[in-house]
Amino acid sequence: MVKKVVLGIDIGGTYTKIGLVTKKGGILDKVVFKTEAQKPFSNFMGKLKVEVETLVLRSASDIQILHIGVGAPNANPNTGNIENPPNLKWGLATPIKKIMEQVFELPVVLANDANAAALGEMLYGAAQGMKNFVALTLGTGLGSGIIVNGQLLIGEHGAAGELGHVNVDRQGRNCNCGLQGCLETYASVTGIKRTVFELMATMREASPLRSLSFDEMTGTAISNAAINGDAIALKAFEMTGEILGSKMADTVAHLDPEAFILSGGLSKAGKILLNPIKNGMEHHLFNVYKDKVKVLLSTATSSDAVLGPAALAWLEFKNTKTA
Amino acid sequence: MVKKVVLGIDIGGTYTKIGLVTKKGGILDKVVFKTEAQKPFSNFMGKLKVEVETLVLRSASDIQILHIGVGAPNANPNTGNIENPPNLKWGLATPIKKIMEQVFELPVVLANDANAAALGEMLYGAAQGMKNFVALTLGTGLGSGIIVNGQLLIGEHGAAGELGHVNVDRQGRNCNCGLQGCLETYASVTGIKRTVFELMATMREASPLRSLSFDEMTGTAISNAAINGDAIALKAFEMTGEILGSKMADTVAHLDPEAFILSGGLSKAGKILLNPIKNGMEHHLFNVYKDKVKVLLSTATSSDAVLGPAALAWLEFKNTKTA
């Protein structure tokens, strides 16, 4: 019997992950390869083609790929382009949907990586059964995907859900985007690292973090220090959670969601991050929302990044079939 | 020939407006009466019944009311209740949908007043043809209605779009809701009045506004002073616009809308308010949104408040017919 699957492709600044995924979210097989983001897009497409062919050839059973779903930074579903992302040196606009459809002779659906992740949580993860929620990816930056009425919020220009650039402090930290005080300069792996360096200046406590340079410091080092009771690391998580929670209260005043789903490196700290987030959010919530909004850790996208693009592909396949 | 209409009911803290409205937004007839919000809800319903009967009886042509649409403060479409609004002393939860359906023997659809206003703009006003926009009502408070993909954003608990309670300053002005620094304490008629009083303390310029007490000061007095070049009033509009614009930039980072539509007392100042709003918004926008989002004055809801609830009724009538 032929197994029907979609091909999920998650393009990151360092690695690209591809996988063959069944409707129920089973990953039949997958491959991870280096994106080589500094080389031209044609180099990437060449590698991708080889890897996809390998996946299909080595498949134990007969498979039929119904649809391809692609999650990538700065991907615009309205244009089908990847638009000048800081981590991929592919230029102002890469018509990735069009090119992939020509190469693979299959329909391709494209979304911003964090938006695809939200769909992954809805179909296969912590947001199963939910119709209104916000997925936050706390990695190098802060990505977000908003689900409203069971559908991805795309926006008029294909760019809804950039919560990393909501403002925390007009006189605050410089952001890569040119603005000052964007949320992702506080609530991300990079953000908490900046906070740790502020705290090493203001606090006096000894800490293993003091032996690391800015370049050496990682999110994992900060999480481990916090788990071991380090005062600076714990304070950094407390401040990060409070700031993120207070901004999530503003997001609730927009969207009135059922839940936030957190993924990405920073979320691996678990309750050390969740507790100050919940406190920060509840403290600043408008009264009609109090005690109504859940804050959960992701399950699907944290287990495998291809589940986001795969969910995107399955939803699009269903839409085109019924249309 | 029988004319098919809906009955639009806009319930305000002071006045209730009702009107018979055709599909194209023509108002056949209307009545305004005092809400008497301090008396029990049964008193209001008694008056409403008399006024509706009067409207129907005095109608020149035969009319058929297809649906009733109600816009009211703190109205929850999920429950059909008006839930403890500060300006209506009707208690914690008034089951207005259920009661009206019994009294009028017609289907009733309920929405928050600012949400209904957004639908009015979409069907009959400045947002005709738009699918993604945000309507802001700058009156005593700041109300908002969000349209996504041509539909009202309701949220999980029926309470999406409370942008009046997005935070400007955690150490800022006390809000009626118990929080500090909510947007509506700055960007509303009451908000600009508070700003004028701050400015009269910090600035030295003479101003006709200095002859008015806090209780006497109105939005109209401030607008008129600004139109006449008063330095304090102009500075107040500049500050109000800058604050509102900067928060609208955060809203754009959530929703990526085509436009904001402004209505309410404060919006009557026109360009004196619009220019600093646009500057404030553009200055703080994340780069992918720059020069893409319009800021417009409302046309429908500013001309007649019943057009909001009437649009709500027509949309619901269409939905129930096709369902």
Side-chain angles (χ1 to χ4, degrees):
Chain A
M1 203 184 111
V2 176
K3 267 202 179 146
K4 294 185 175 180
V5 294
V6 296
L7 176 65
I9 304 178
D10 177 74
I11 304 174
T14 313
Y15 293 107
T16 292
K17 297 164 189 166
I18 67 175
L20 299 172
V21 181
T22 67
K23 195 171 181 182
K24 289 189 173 171
I27 301 172
L28 293 191
D29 198 0
K30 60 177 177 172
V31 172
V32 178
F33 62 93
K34 283 201 172 164
T35 304
E36 297 186 302
Q38 307 303 315
K39 294 188 182 169
F41 179 68
S42 57
N43 175 73
F44 170 80
M45 275 305 297
K47 288 176 74 170
L48 178 67
K49 192 163 182 289
V50 171
E51 298 294 352
V52 170
E53 283 165 358
T54 307
L55 261 191
V56 173
L57 284 173
R58 81 182 184 199
S59 168
S61 53
D62 274 355
I63 57 160
Q64 183 193 357
I65 300 177
L66 300 174
H67 219 102
I68 298 176
V70 181
N74 290 35
N76 187 326
N78 289 4
T79 60
N81 295 342
I82 294 183
E83 295 173 354
N84 201 26
N87 300 327
L88 304 172
K89 303 293 165 200
W90 295 345
L92 275 174
T94 307
I96 190 164
K97 176 177 153 73
K98 199 177 145 190
I99 292 173
M100 281 199 183
E101 285 182 341
Q102 286 167 350
V103 169
F104 295 113
E105 296 179 340
L106 278 167
V108 173
V109 56
L110 179 68
N112 174 288
D113 46 5
N115 285 1
L119 295 175
E121 292 303 324
M122 185 168 73
L123 258 59
Y124 309 126
Q128 282 178 71
M130 291 188 193
K131 291 196 161 292
N132 297 287
F133 69 94
V134 179
L136 299 177
T137 309
L138 308 170
T140 311
L142 187 160
S144 60
I146 297 170
I147 304 291
V148 165
N149 252 334
Q151 297 206 302
L152 189 59
L153 200 162
I154 301 280
E156 184 64 21
H157 316 93
E162 287 287 355
L163 301 189
H165 301 279
V166 155
N167 190 267
V168 172
D169 179 359
R170 300 270 165 235
Q171 276 75 49
R173 296 175 182 172
N174 294 329
C175 184
N176 290 335
C177 77
L179 294 172
Q180 251 185 295
C182 291
L183 182 55
E184 74 173 18
T185 68
Y186 300 89
S188 64
V189 173
T190 321
I192 199 169
K193 179 168 145 175
R194 292 167 87 163
T195 302
V196 161
F197 274 76
E198 271 183 14
L199 289 173
M200 289 198 294
T202 55
M203 291 173 71
R204 293 191 63 257
E205 281 80 351
S207 165
L209 299 175
R210 294 196 189 269
S211 68
L212 299 171
S213 72
F214 193 89
D215 288 342
E216 288 167 341
M217 183 81 67
T218 61
T220 309
I222 301 169
S223 292
N224 287 342
I227 290 163
N228 292 323
D230 180 70
I232 289 176
L234 285 171
K235 181 76 182 165
F237 271 104
E238 196 187 310
M239 288 172 66
T240 304
E242 153 70 20
I243 289 171
L244 179 54
S246 74
K247 289 292 138 181
M248 283 160 58
D250 281 357
T251 294
V252 173
H254 284 79
L255 303 168
D256 182 20
E258 178 175 352
F260 289 88
I261 314 288
L262 308 184
S263 65
L266 198 63
S267 72
K268 291 182 183 150
K271 284 193 177 172
I272 293 172
L273 179 68
L274 280 189
N275 288 342
I277 286 178
K278 286 180 186 171
N279 290 340
M281 183 179 80
E282 287 296 334
H283 185 66
H284 295 108
L285 275 181
F286 181 50
N287 45 31
V288 301
Y289 306 120
K290 279 192 193 292
D291 298 318
K292 287 185 181 165
V293 185
K294 298 168 205 147
V295 184
L296 306 170
L297 294 173
S298 83
T299 54
T301 34
S302 295
S303 79
D304 205 306
V306 300
L307 289 175
L312 175 71
W314 275 114
L315 288 166
E316 184 70 9
F317 175 72
K318 195 180 138 202
N319 282 344
T320 49
K321 236 186 15 176
T322 52
Chain B
M1 204 182 112
V2 177
K3 267 200 181 147
K4 294 185 177 181
V5 294
V6 297
L7 177 66
I9 303 177
D10 177 72
I11 303 175
T14 312
Y15 293 105
T16 293
K17 296 164 189 167
I18 67 175
L20 299 171
V21 181
T22 68
K23 195 171 181 181
K24 289 190 172 169
I27 301 172
L28 293 191
D29 197 0
K30 60 177 178 171
V31 172
V32 177
F33 62 92
K34 285 201 170 162
T35 305
E36 296 186 303
Q38 307 303 316
K39 293 189 183 170
F41 180 67
S42 56
N43 175 72
F44 171 79
M45 275 305 298
K47 287 177 77 170
L48 177 67
K49 192 162 183 288
V50 170
E51 297 295 353
V52 170
E53 283 165 358
T54 306
L55 263 190
V56 173
L57 283 173
R58 80 184 184 198
S59 166
S61 54
D62 274 354
I63 57 160
Q64 183 194 356
I65 299 177
L66 300 173
H67 220 101
I68 298 177
V70 181
N74 291 36
N76 186 325
N78 289 4
T79 59
N81 295 342
I82 295 184
E83 295 172 355
N84 202 25
N87 300 326
L88 302 171
K89 302 294 165 200
W90 294 345
L92 274 173
T94 307
I96 191 164
K97 176 177 152 73
K98 198 175 146 192
I99 292 171
M100 280 197 183
E101 285 183 340
Q102 285 167 350
V103 168
F104 294 114
E105 296 179 341
L106 278 167
V108 173
V109 56
L110 179 69
N112 174 288
D113 45 5
N115 286 1
L119 295 175
E121 291 304 324
M122 184 168 72
L123 258 60
Y124 309 126
Q128 282 177 70
M130 292 188 193
K131 291 196 161 292
N132 297 288
F133 69 94
V134 179
L136 298 177
T137 309
L138 309 170
T140 311
L142 187 159
S144 61
I146 298 170
I147 304 290
V148 165
N149 253 333
Q151 297 206 304
L152 189 61
L153 200 162
I154 301 281
E156 183 64 22
H157 317 93
E162 286 288 355
L163 301 189
H165 300 279
V166 154
N167 190 268
V168 172
D169 178 358
R170 301 267 166 238
Q171 276 75 49
R173 296 176 182 171
N174 294 328
C175 184
N176 291 336
C177 76
L179 294 171
Q180 251 184 296
C182 291
L183 182 56
E184 74 172 18
T185 69
Y186 299 88
S188 64
V189 172
T190 321
I192 200 168
K193 179 168 146 177
R194 293 167 88 162
T195 302
V196 162
F197 275 76
E198 270 181 16
L199 290 173
M200 290 199 292
T202 54
M203 291 173 72
R204 292 191 63 257
E205 279 81 351
S207 164
L209 298 175
R210 294 196 189 269
S211 68
L212 299 172
S213 72
F214 194 90
D215 288 341
E216 286 167 342
M217 183 80 68
T218 61
T220 309
I222 301 168
S223 293
N224 287 342
I227 290 163
N228 292 323
D230 180 71
I232 289 177
L234 285 171
K235 181 76 182 165
F237 271 104
E238 197 188 308
M239 289 172 66
T240 304
E242 154 69 21
I243 289 172
L244 178 55
S246 74
K247 289 292 137 181
M248 283 160 59
D250 281 356
T251 294
V252 173
H254 284 78
L255 304 168
D256 182 21
E258 178 175 354
F260 289 87
I261 314 289
L262 309 184
S263 64
L266 198 62
S267 73
K268 291 182 183 152
K271 284 192 178 173
I272 294 173
L273 180 68
L274 281 189
N275 288 342
I277 286 179
K278 285 179 187 171
N279 290 340
M281 184 180 79
E282 287 296 335
H283 185 66
H284 295 107
L285 275 181
F286 181 49
N287 44 33
V288 301
Y289 307 119
K290 278 193 193 292
D291 298 317
K292 287 186 181 165
V293 184
K294 298 167 206 147
V295 184
L296 306 169
L297 294 173
S298 84
T299 54
T301 34
S302 295
S303 80
D304 206 306
V306 300
L307 288 176
L312 175 71
W314 275 114
L315 288 166
E316 183 70 11
F317 175 73
K318 195 179 138 202
N319 282 344
T320 49
K321 236 186 16 178
T322 52

